[in-house]
């Protein structure tokens, strides 16, 4: 893969709660309720204040009656049986939903869980509502799946380049989240992805051009805010230029201060100007910003010096998950939360051991290492956000609102139209001729580009390739979705999953099946020079059948696929992107997406194969 430098250069209680309802009526002025909030904070015990800065996972579909397996998981990891018990013990300020924690079965269940959590919180002294959050980035990171509306991810939106689409995504996605009781979304990603080898950001970023990323980040935030949901720009100070995944290692970004200001700072400045309610820190080291060796999450120069003072952000700063390796390499799990608060963070997200983290913060205040005044500052910011979101006046999800809002026909249709504007056609060649003979027999030599396909000339389509699991567990598999969509458009399409690392036998079977097809469509997923996916494509091309590649994650795949006659980039593999790709292949719509990142040559990474802005379309 090209070096990051190459690409960098190329891209230049219920009653108590009821009594508080009137007191927390929104006035439309930023801190108009501060006096009342400070009065509330003065009534809170130290333990309640400590709890407010924590956001944690909890297992189960119900706040009070989870399945036995989830009870067991809660007991093992959290020392409680249910979410209600967790809230009573730790008085946490927030809960984060995960698919793997069995929080997100379906929209009505999610709303019921949210209401159960809020009831448990409001039954506690002072009756402070929870801030319920999740990672609903869309694209390759989604916790809530179908029948909720799934939109294209950030890099797809970057390929579309539409400010209106970015804002519409935030507004409609925000409405659906709020209907289910989720008031904080850890999105959008404000990282500028300048390293094609980036294993953790990649297509989660809007692109490689700072100003373009900044524009779309700002618009998506405005959409979420209009829906009454807190958007979270992440991952400050910028996670787009690393080949290390901070979930599993400790990335070091060697940007100079000048490079950071020109590249990474730009989208975060735009996010703040757009009214971002929260910003998430990154577990990365940027020596030019802080030479101490501490990750940004624990860095006072980064969180307070840059984010608070230089950029003027006075909203809620939330850590990335504290169970990630990037923040645990230098300090123990008891020190990390204390150091994060001392750095200027407000919310501590998903510590690996809640009891260890909670007690560590409590002890730090009791011992004087962390002043109660400093803790109060974070609690005030969190309560301000809860006030702005209307949680003190209306904390519950309305079941009828779920039916009226989540996954409606209008929302689904809008997602389809947005996806059509993002699908990017990278290659579309005429039939190949070798020594005067057509490789694709039976087609005239003067015929134009391969796409769009017609059922009259390419009725039989074999769809092969990678079938990665759905980000939300509710869509796919990609080959089946694509084949079904093509069949609905008049073709006879047959799916055959070959996986991300097809064996020789699997490749041979796919090549044999290609003999019965008029054209082969291959779903590729993060192809490399040594990938057996590349071997699959080469051998399918050698059959003489035209091959269409659909890069269902990274657009960089095209550099390793010189034998394909056509190549599309969808930037994700959820159904909405795949259905749009099928419509483009069939000519039902023309491709309109343009690359938001450069694609380097596979044989010479110092040279650009396809620049930012490259994208083909069909002649009228």
């Amino acid at each position: 893969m090209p070096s990051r430098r190459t690409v960098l250069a190329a891209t230049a209680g219920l009653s108590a709660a009821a009594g508080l309802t009137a007191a927390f009526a929104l006035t439309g002025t930023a801190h108009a309720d501060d006096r009342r909030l400070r009065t509330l904070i003065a009534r809170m015990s130290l333990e309640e204040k400590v709890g407010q800065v924590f956001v944690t996972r909890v297992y189960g579909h119900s706040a009070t009656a989870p399945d036995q397996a989830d009870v067991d998981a809660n007991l093992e990891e959290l020392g409680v049986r249910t979410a209600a018990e967790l809230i009573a013990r730790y008085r946490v300020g927030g809960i984060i939903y995960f698919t793997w924690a069995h929080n997100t079965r379906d929209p009505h269940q999610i709303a019921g869980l949210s209401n159960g959590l809020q009831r448990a919180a409001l039954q506690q002294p002072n009756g402070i509502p929870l801030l319920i959050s999740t990672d609903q980035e869309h694209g390759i990171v989604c916790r809530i799946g179908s029948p909720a509306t799934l939109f294209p991810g950030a890099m797809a939106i970057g390929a579309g380049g539409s400010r209106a689409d970015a804002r519409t995504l935030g507004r409609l996605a925000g409405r659906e989240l709020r209907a289910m009781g989720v008031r904080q979304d850890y999105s959008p990603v404000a990282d500028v992805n300048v390293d094609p080898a980036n294993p953790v950001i990649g297509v989660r970023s809007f692109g490689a051009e700072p100003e373009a990323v900044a524009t779309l980040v700002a618009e998506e935030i405005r959409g979420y805010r209009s829906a009454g949901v807190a958007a979270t720009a992440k991952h400050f100070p910028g996670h787009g230029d690393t080949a290390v995944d901070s979930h599993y290692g400790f990335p070091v970004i060697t940007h100079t201060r000048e490079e950071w200001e020109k590249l990474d700072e730009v989208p975060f400045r735009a996010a703040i100007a757009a009214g971002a309610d929260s910003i998430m820190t990154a577990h990365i080291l940027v020596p030019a910003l802080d030479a101490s060796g501490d990750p940004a999450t624990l860095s006072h120069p980064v969180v307070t010096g840059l984010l608070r003072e230089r950029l003027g952000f006075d909203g809620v700063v939330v850590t990335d998950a504290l169970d990630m390796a990037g923040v645990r390499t230098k300090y123990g799990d008891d020190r990390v939360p204390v150091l994060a608060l001392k750095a200027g963070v407000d919310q501590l997200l998903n510590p690996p051991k809640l009891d260890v983290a909670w007690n560590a913060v409590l002890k730090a205040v009791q011992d004087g290492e962390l002043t109660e005044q400093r803790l109060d500052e974070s609690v005030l910011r969190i309560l301000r956000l809860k006030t702005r979101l209307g949680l003190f006046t209306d904390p519950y999800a309305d079941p009828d609102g779920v039916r009226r809002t989540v996954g409606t026909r209008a929302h689904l249709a809008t997602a389809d139209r947005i996806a059509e504007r993002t699908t990017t056609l990278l290659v579309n060649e005429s039939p190949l001729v070798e020594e005067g003979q057509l490789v694709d027999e039976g087609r005239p030599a003067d015929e134009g580009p391969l796409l769009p396909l017609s059922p009259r000339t390419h009725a039989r389509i074999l769809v092969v390739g990678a079938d990665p699991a759905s980000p939300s567990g509710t869509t796919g598999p990609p080959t089946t979705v694509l084949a079904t969509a093509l069949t609905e458009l008049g073709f006879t399409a047959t799916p055959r999953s070959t996986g991300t690392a097809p064996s020789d036998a699997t490749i041979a079977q796919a090549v044999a099946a290609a003999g019965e097809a008029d054209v082969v469509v291959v779903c590729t997923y993060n192809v490399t020079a040594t990938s057996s996916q590349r071997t699959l494509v080469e051998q399918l091309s050698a059959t003489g059948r035209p091959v269409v590649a659909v890069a269902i994650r990274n657009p960089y795949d095209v550099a390793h696929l010189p034998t394909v006659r056509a190549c599309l980039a969808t930037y994700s593999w959820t159904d909405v992107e795949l259905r749009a790709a099928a419509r483009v292949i069939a000519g039902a719509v023309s491709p309109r997406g343009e690359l938001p990142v450069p694609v380097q040559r596979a044989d010479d990474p110092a040279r650009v194969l396809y620049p930012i802005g490259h994208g083909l379309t069909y002649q009228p």
Side-chain angles (χ1 to χ4, degrees):
M1 300 298 294
S3 71
R4 56 174 185 77
R5 281 285 171 225
T6 298
V7 182
L8 185 59
T11 59
L14 292 178
S15 59
L20 288 170
T21 298
F24 287 95
L26 292 177
T27 66
T29 303
H31 298 167
D33 289 310
D34 271 13
R35 181 177 59 82
R36 300 181 189 278
L37 294 175
R38 293 182 191 278
T39 299
L40 172 59
I41 292 171
R43 294 204 306 265
M44 294 169 63
S45 67
L46 177 58
E47 289 78 7
E48 286 178 291
K49 295 176 182 179
V50 170
Q52 278 299 302
V53 302
F54 281 96
V55 181
T56 184
R57 70 199 177 280
V58 67
Y59 291 85
H61 70 287
S62 164
T64 56
D67 295 339
Q68 186 59 48
D70 294 320
V71 171
D72 295 341
N74 284 329
L75 285 170
E76 180 178 356
E77 295 187 19
L78 301 165
V80 296
R81 295 173 56 84
T82 69
E85 290 181 12
L86 181 143
I87 292 166
R89 178 175 298 183
Y90 293 105
R91 309 289 176 84
V92 292
I95 297 289
I96 179 173
Y97 286 166
F98 290 107
T99 307
W100 49 260
H102 309 140
N103 305 138
T104 58
R105 288 181 179 178
D106 64 74
H108 285 281
Q109 169 268 317
I110 296 169
L113 173 60
S114 298
N115 287 345
L117 293 171
Q118 295 292 8
R119 280 192 293 270
L122 294 173
Q123 287 170 354
Q124 304 307 312
N126 289 313
I128 301 174
L130 289 167
L131 186 54
I132 298 172
S133 60
T134 196
D135 288 291
Q136 192 79 348
E137 296 175 13
H138 295 272
I140 71 168
V141 175
C142 263
R143 310 305 187 198
I144 300 172
S146 178
T149 306
L150 297 178
F151 289 90
M155 192 170 285
I157 298 298
S162 169
R163 297 174 61 172
D165 284 349
R167 186 181 292 203
T168 297
L169 185 158
R171 176 170 52 85
L172 299 186
R175 287 178 180 175
E176 296 200 7
L177 287 173
R178 187 177 176 102
M180 293 179 279
V182 179
R183 302 289 184 97
Q184 183 177 25
D185 191 11
Y186 298 131
S187 185
V189 171
D191 304 316
V192 181
N193 197 80
V194 296
D195 188 348
N198 194 321
V200 63
I201 304 302
V203 294
R204 297 168 62 195
S205 163
F206 287 105
E209 202 287 310
E211 293 294 343
V213 172
T215 295
L216 297 175
V217 164
E219 292 299 333
E220 192 166 306
I221 286 171
R222 292 186 179 105
Y224 277 110
R225 281 181 61 87
S226 71
V229 168
T232 305
K234 62 187 186 184
H235 308 79
F236 190 82
H239 207 321
D241 192 4
T242 174
V244 175
D245 186 340
S246 53
H247 290 85
Y248 309 107
F250 186 24
V252 178
I253 294 181
T254 58
H255 289 180
T256 65
R257 174 65 178 251
E258 182 180 12
E259 286 174 331
W260 176 80
E261 291 176 359
K262 291 181 178 179
L263 183 75
D264 305 287
E265 179 186 31
V266 177
F268 289 101
R269 188 177 288 279
I272 293 167
D277 290 295
S278 56
I279 291 179
M280 179 180 286
T281 63
H283 305 326
I284 59 173
L285 174 62
V286 188
L289 305 182
D290 181 359
S292 70
D294 287 345
T297 295
L298 310 182
S299 168
H300 191 275
V302 171
V303 178
T304 297
L306 293 180
L307 184 55
R308 296 285 192 207
E309 296 173 358
R310 175 181 169 87
L311 298 184
F313 182 66
D314 194 36
V316 172
V317 177
V318 56
T319 71
D320 206 344
L322 296 183
D323 60 349
M324 295 166 59
V327 78
R328 303 173 73 190
T329 56
K330 187 175 179 181
Y331 301 101
D333 291 337
D334 59 335
R335 294 299 300 155
V336 166
V338 175
L339 294 174
L341 289 168
K342 292 177 73 173
V345 162
D346 301 306
Q347 285 185 314
L348 303 168
L349 178 61
N350 204 33
K353 297 178 181 179
L354 179 60
D355 59 337
V356 171
W358 191 92
N359 281 297
V361 173
L362 180 65
K363 185 175 186 299
V365 179
Q366 291 171 335
D367 292 349
E369 179 185 4
L370 189 69
T371 67
E372 191 163 356
Q373 180 183 357
R374 168 66 193 90
L375 185 62
D376 288 351
E377 291 172 2
S378 286
V379 174
L380 178 59
R381 290 192 187 100
I382 292 165
L383 296 183
R384 281 175 183 162
L385 179 53
K386 292 181 178 183
T387 301
R388 194 193 77 72
L389 296 174
L391 283 165
F392 282 99
T393 57
D394 185 21
Y396 295 112
D398 178 5
D400 287 338
V402 174
R403 177 184 53 79
R404 293 191 305 267
T405 307
V406 180
T408 63
R409 183 176 300 177
H411 287 190
L412 295 171
T414 299
D416 281 336
R417 299 293 84 77
I418 291 175
E420 290 173 355
R421 294 189 282 270
T422 68
T423 307
T424 308
L425 180 59
L426 302 173
V427 176
N428 193 20
E429 297 178 352
S430 299
L432 300 177
V433 179
E434 293 180 0
E435 298 180 356
Q437 299 295 318
L438 284 173
V439 175
D440 186 9
E441 297 178 1
R443 292 168 58 84
D446 61 351
E447 187 173 341
L450 175 62
L451 298 181
L453 300 179
S454 168
R456 295 190 302 274
T457 57
H458 295 90
R460 299 170 300 170
I461 300 178
L462 174 66
V463 181
V464 303
D467 273 334
S470 166
S472 63
T474 60
T475 67
T479 56
T480 299
V481 172
L482 194 52
T484 299
L486 289 167
T487 297
E488 291 172 350
L489 290 164
F491 299 90
T492 301
T494 304
R496 175 182 285 270
S497 179
T498 52
T500 56
S503 65
D504 291 343
T506 298
I507 293 173
Q509 292 167 359
V511 168
E516 303 299 319
D518 299 312
V519 65
V520 182
V521 175
V522 186
C523 296
T524 65
Y525 182 94
N526 294 2
V527 179
T528 65
T530 59
S531 170
S532 57
Q533 291 182 72
R534 182 176 181 176
T535 304
L536 169 68
V537 172
E538 290 173 346
Q539 293 194 19
L540 288 169
S541 297
T543 66
R545 296 293 186 268
V547 175
V548 179
V550 180
I552 62 173
R553 182 166 178 163
N554 288 338
Y556 312 113
D557 287 4
V558 66
H560 299 283
L561 306 172
T563 63
V564 300
R565 290 266 302 280
C567 183
L568 297 168
T570 64
Y571 310 97
S572 184
W573 60 95
T574 49
D575 293 7
V576 66
E577 287 100 334
L578 296 170
R579 290 194 303 263
R583 292 192 292 275
V584 168
I585 290 170
V589 296
S590 293
R592 293 173 55 181
E594 298 180 350
L595 279 174
V597 293
V599 174
Q600 313 302 118
R601 292 178 59 107
D603 59 345
D604 185 1
R607 297 172 60 191
V608 174
L609 178 64
Y610 298 114
I612 291 176
H614 173 77
L616 307 176
T617 190
Y618 300 148
Q619 296 299 319

